[in-house]
Amino acid sequence: MRRTILKTFAATLATLALGGLTGTAVAQQKPVELTFYYPVAVGGPVTKIINDLVADFEKTHPTIKVKPVYAGTYQDSVVKALTAAKAGTPPQVAVLAAADVFTLIDEDAVVPIDSIANTPADKQWLDSFYPALMMNSRIDGHTWGVPFQRSTIVMYWNKDMFREAGLDPERAPANWTELASYAQKLTRRDASGNVTQWGIKVPSTGFGYWLFQAFTTPAGIELMNASGNKTFLNAPQAVESLQFWVDLAAKYKAMPTGSIEWGTTPKDFLEKKAAIIYTTTGNLTNIRTNATFPFGVGKMPSKVRGGSPTGGGNFYVFKKSTPQEKEAAMTFIKWATTPERAAQFGIDTGYVAVTPAAWETPAMKDYVRKVPAAAVARDQLGSSVAEFSTHDNQRVTKALNDALQAALTGTKSPKQALDDAQREADRILRPYAR
């Protein structure tokens, strides 16, 4: 009897143990779920591209599920992500503006990438990106963001309009003097004096501060320090840059006065309302697909140097994630930035493929042979600077954007507008000075 009881007890223990092991196995097989915030109100149609990217990833990584959440503009996305983080329900991974890195650090919302990816192989991977694209990623000895949807500002021009104006259709204006001259020749008016074709449009809404850097970089001034706690908004070169931007409309009469919308500028170019526009290289695929005329893509015209700010979004990993979620997020990020994937994303969107290795892939080499303009933004990286970025970035950027609008609409002189912006930036950044 006693022997029977012991056998029964042993069998019960074995069953419980087997059940526990089975439960553990099931638990281990349960996919790690990642919420992935992504901005879509940027250059080009990217929703389908990201959906396809995620689907391809999940096919080869069945233990990780990625749920994209599309959040509008970069500004919308960072606000949404920080609000979710404060509520305790942040995304595990997000593509947010590279320029918002200080804000994300100050809010204690994200973790350094190199705290998760910390092997020698990981260090080699992080060193594989273009140095210019890492300028907004490496802060205080740590890497906080991984380049993905990155860009520079480029010039698009209508070759037919150049030819009609007696200009070489294969040559963009190389400096500010040529830009003003070309823009005047390209501006057309009817018998009543009404403009039927603008020589140039440089958008000032949405990313006004960024387009301002398309002038300040060639003028030889960077608008903030590397620590993000000091700005130089009213430096002489900055005032000169804003004066030239204003003069394109007020003096040369080659650009509309007042605000020019970011979102409609590519459309105006496609509808032949403007001969030259400044916008992100991320609009290349959109313009290639829809242009009914030959067009060129060029670097920023120089003043004392060439160059553009970098722009666009980085991958970030959020702090309030489990260790398993952080590891899964890194798996996804590494996969998405492999040379083949980075190359395909650049081909599909027009954004800059973020590593030199991506440009060596057969697909990218074939693309550049067919579309040489795709290499312009890459080549400009050699002279690019960091996108304007500071602590409390949203407020400081608003002060600068407001100043730009005041000057472009004629309510303040460029110097007064930038003096006011610098004063406000100093006030906002005072707590961060060290």
Side-chain angles (χ1 to χ4, degrees):
M1 179 70 176
R2 185 169 177 271
R3 186 177 296 173
T4 303
I5 292 171
L6 287 173
K7 283 183 177 179
T8 303
F9 181 64
T12 301
L13 286 177
T15 301
L16 289 172
L18 180 61
L21 288 172
T22 304
T24 301
V26 170
Q28 288 175 343
Q29 290 172 359
K30 183 179 179 182
V32 178
E33 296 184 358
L34 301 177
T35 301
F36 173 34
Y37 279 14
Y38 198 91
V40 290
V42 289
V46 295
T47 306
K48 182 181 184 304
I49 293 167
I50 293 301
N51 285 341
D52 290 346
L53 188 81
V54 167
D56 287 346
F57 172 77
E58 290 181 343
K59 285 176 187 175
T60 54
H61 297 78
T63 61
I64 302 172
K65 294 296 179 186
V66 181
K67 179 186 177 184
V69 176
Y70 298 109
T73 65
Y74 282 124
Q75 292 91 335
D76 295 337
S77 298
V78 73
V79 169
K80 184 171 183 176
L82 290 174
T83 300
K86 289 175 182 177
T89 57
Q92 286 75 43
V93 62
V95 169
L96 300 172
D100 280 330
V101 61
F102 287 108
T103 298
L104 292 165
I105 295 170
D106 292 340
E107 293 289 340
D108 199 26
V110 297
V111 295
I113 296 297
D114 50 25
S115 69
I116 314 166
N118 51 22
T119 68
D122 289 333
K123 184 181 185 302
Q124 187 176 14
W125 167 64
L126 288 172
D127 287 340
S128 71
F129 295 92
Y130 281 105
L133 299 180
M134 298 301 285
M135 291 177 183
N136 288 106
S137 297
R138 287 182 163 150
I139 310 293
D140 294 334
H142 286 289
T143 300
W144 296 87
V146 175
F148 179 62
Q149 181 173 282
R150 299 303 302 273
S151 60
T152 64
I153 300 167
V154 292
M155 174 198 313
Y156 296 83
W157 76 89
N158 183 314
K159 292 184 178 182
D160 286 345
M161 291 180 179
F162 268 50
R163 190 176 292 105
E164 291 163 5
L167 299 169
D168 182 349
E170 302 303 324
R171 183 179 178 276
N175 53 55
W176 285 9
T177 301
E178 287 188 353
L179 181 64
S181 173
Y182 281 33
Q184 286 175 287
K185 291 176 181 177
L186 290 161
T187 301
R188 293 192 167 188
R189 292 173 172 82
D190 61 21
S192 302
N194 299 312
V195 174
T196 57
Q197 173 185 301
W198 287 106
I200 184 170
K201 283 194 174 184
V202 179
S204 55
T205 68
F207 301 95
Y209 73 92
W210 194 48
L211 274 298
F212 184 42
Q213 286 185 275
F215 297 104
T216 58
T217 304
I221 182 72
E222 292 192 47
L223 297 177
M224 76 290 172
N225 65 357
S227 298
N229 59 9
K230 187 173 179 60
T231 61
F232 313 102
L233 306 182
N234 61 346
Q237 302 98 315
V239 175
E240 178 187 31
S241 298
L242 183 52
Q243 185 65 63
F244 179 68
W245 192 357
V246 169
D247 284 348
L248 287 172
K251 179 180 177 180
Y252 300 115
K253 311 294 183 184
M255 186 176 76
T257 56
S259 298
I260 296 176
E261 293 293 325
W262 166 264
T264 60
T265 300
K267 184 171 180 285
D268 290 343
F269 182 67
L270 293 169
E271 292 179 354
K272 304 180 184 179
K273 296 177 182 177
I276 299 171
I277 63 167
Y278 281 15
T279 189
T280 171
T281 184
N283 267 314
L284 177 58
T285 298
N286 171 38
I287 291 173
R288 278 189 63 229
T289 302
N290 296 295
T292 57
F293 50 85
F295 67 90
V297 179
K299 300 177 183 179
M300 291 296 92
S302 66
K303 173 63 175 172
V304 299
R305 53 161 289 180
S308 160
T310 60
N314 282 345
F315 278 115
Y316 296 96
V317 177
F318 276 70
K319 190 171 187 177
K320 291 182 180 177
S321 305
T322 67
Q324 293 80 8
E325 289 169 342
K326 290 185 176 79
E327 288 295 334
M330 287 310 310
T331 299
F332 177 54
I333 292 169
K334 289 176 184 177
W335 179 89
T337 56
T338 57
E340 294 74 20
R341 293 289 167 185
Q344 193 59 51
F345 185 75
I347 292 167
D348 290 343
T349 62
Y351 285 97
V352 184
V354 290
T355 63
W359 292 88
E360 294 301 318
T361 61
M364 183 58 83
K365 285 184 174 181
D366 185 56
Y367 178 60
V368 171
R369 278 194 294 270
K370 295 175 182 174
V371 188
V376 171
R378 175 203 64 188
D379 295 343
Q380 193 166 233
L381 287 175
S383 56
S384 290
V385 302
E387 183 175 0
F388 183 73
S389 176
T390 67
H391 293 279
D392 211 341
N393 194 53
Q394 299 289 320
R395 292 172 67 205
V396 175
T397 298
K398 183 179 185 304
L400 176 54
N401 282 339
D402 288 348
L404 299 175
Q405 292 301 322
L408 290 165
T409 56
T411 58
K412 292 181 183 179
S413 70
K415 186 176 189 314
Q416 180 188 354
L418 292 176
D419 281 345
D420 291 347
Q422 181 61 44
R423 193 176 303 111
E424 178 66 4
D426 286 343
R427 185 186 69 78
I428 295 169
L429 294 175
R430 195 168 294 125
Y432 303 97
R434 57 181 185 269

